[in-house]
Amino acid sequence: MEVYIVFSVFLFIFSFFEVFKVGYRKLGNFFLFLSFFGAVLIVGGRWYTGTDWEVYEQLFYESTSIKEALTIWQTEIGYGIFSWIIRSFTDNYSVFLIIHAVIFYGLIIISFKRLVPYPQTAFLYYFVGGLGIVGSNRQLLAVAFLLFGISLLLNNQRKKFIISVVTSFTFHATAFLGGVYLLLNRYFSKTIVILTILIVFVIGISPLPLKIFGSLGAISEHFQSKTDAYLNSAKS
């Protein structure tokens, strides 16, 4: 735990320089690189630390072929392919975690640089606030791809944003909700907003969502198995 605290202190110092503009114009990119490098070493180099460690580790070892990987990850095929690619040239799970961290923190920092005026401070808040979800491999990559996509969308690169959402979806199914960002900077009358909220509320309390998911076959079974697993984990 000490290493996380010490690293967070360094991030705070870098953030102080950024906010108060103490030499940050010259050293800003260097500080961001140190932040990226440190996060990769600390989070990518962890061992038996983080959520669902044993499950992810075991499934990585079992992804010995593309067929096995896609069988394991039936809906999150992007994560399955990613696991298989790394597993095809090494069975070292630490290598997988390092590569995962490089991609994740790389996308996060690039996105922050594009989206906010204080990327170093944004990274400080993210790193400290996200310590509790370290190890959520699929979800984190999905978030990173989606955040990167938003930075593209704000530059009117709609097609690339859609590709980012689709990519994110292949790592975690809930990422399809990111498509709502296509509605950014559009005007909607109060009547449309209120009617939309009412319609969504009515659909939410109706049996319609269950019927829709129940008709999706394998996808429905996938979500049901995940729900059962989480409930059993909570009971134990």
Side-chain angles (χ1 to χ4, degrees):
M1 188 62 187
E2 291 80 2
V3 67
Y4 293 99
I5 296 174
V6 171
F7 183 62
S8 297
V9 170
F10 275 103
L11 291 181
F12 176 80
I13 294 172
F14 296 161
S15 174
F16 178 88
F17 288 153
E18 178 184 54
V19 172
F20 293 98
K21 305 186 187 306
V22 181
Y24 192 80
R25 181 172 297 181
K26 295 181 179 180
L27 299 174
N29 288 330
F30 179 63
F31 287 157
L32 280 172
F33 173 76
L34 289 181
S35 301
F36 164 77
F37 187 70
V40 168
L41 286 182
I42 293 171
V43 177
R46 62 194 167 87
W47 191 251
Y48 274 88
T49 303
T51 62
D52 299 333
W53 172 277
E54 293 182 358
V55 175
Y56 277 119
E57 182 187 24
Q58 183 60 37
L59 294 180
F60 169 75
Y61 291 139
E62 293 177 4
S63 300
T64 54
S65 68
I66 185 65
K67 182 178 179 180
E68 289 291 336
L70 295 182
T71 299
I72 294 170
W73 305 104
Q74 295 181 22
T75 54
E76 286 99 353
I77 60 174
Y79 187 81
I81 294 172
F82 175 61
S83 298
W84 166 70
I85 290 174
I86 308 301
R87 182 67 177 82
S88 64
F89 66 82
T90 181
D91 61 355
N92 190 325
Y93 189 54
S94 291
V95 173
F96 173 84
L97 291 178
I98 289 290
I99 295 174
H100 179 286
V102 167
I103 296 172
F104 173 70
Y105 286 113
L107 288 174
I108 288 292
I109 288 179
I110 290 172
S111 301
F112 282 161
K113 288 187 68 174
R114 294 181 175 183
L115 291 170
V116 297
Y118 297 102
Q120 182 68 62
T121 303
F123 187 76
L124 163 67
Y125 277 99
Y126 171 77
F127 185 84
V128 174
L131 286 177
I133 58 174
V134 167
S136 303
N137 295 351
R138 295 170 297 121
Q139 295 91 328
L140 292 178
L141 285 179
V143 167
F145 281 115
L146 186 56
L147 188 64
F148 182 71
I150 293 173
S151 73
L152 296 173
L153 180 62
L154 293 178
N155 287 313
N156 296 317
Q157 296 175 292
R158 294 170 63 87
K159 292 182 179 179
K160 292 182 178 180
F161 168 74
I162 293 173
I163 293 173
S164 295
V165 172
V166 172
T167 303
S168 181
F169 176 78
T170 66
F171 282 85
H172 203 270
T174 58
F176 78 92
L177 295 170
V180 74
Y181 285 107
L182 286 170
L183 303 177
L184 281 176
N185 298 325
R186 293 193 179 189
Y187 173 78
F188 296 97
S189 67
K190 293 181 180 179
T191 302
I192 292 178
V193 172
I194 294 173
L195 283 176
T196 301
I197 294 174
L198 288 175
I199 292 172
V200 170
F201 176 76
V202 171
I203 292 175
I205 62 175
S206 73
L208 185 60
L210 291 176
K211 291 182 178 180
I212 293 175
F213 279 104
S215 65
L216 294 179
I219 295 179
S220 177
E221 293 176 5
H222 172 75
F223 284 119
Q224 181 62 45
S225 64
K226 281 193 171 183
T227 302
D228 292 339
Y230 285 127
L231 289 176
N232 292 333
S233 175
K235 291 179 181 178
S236 61

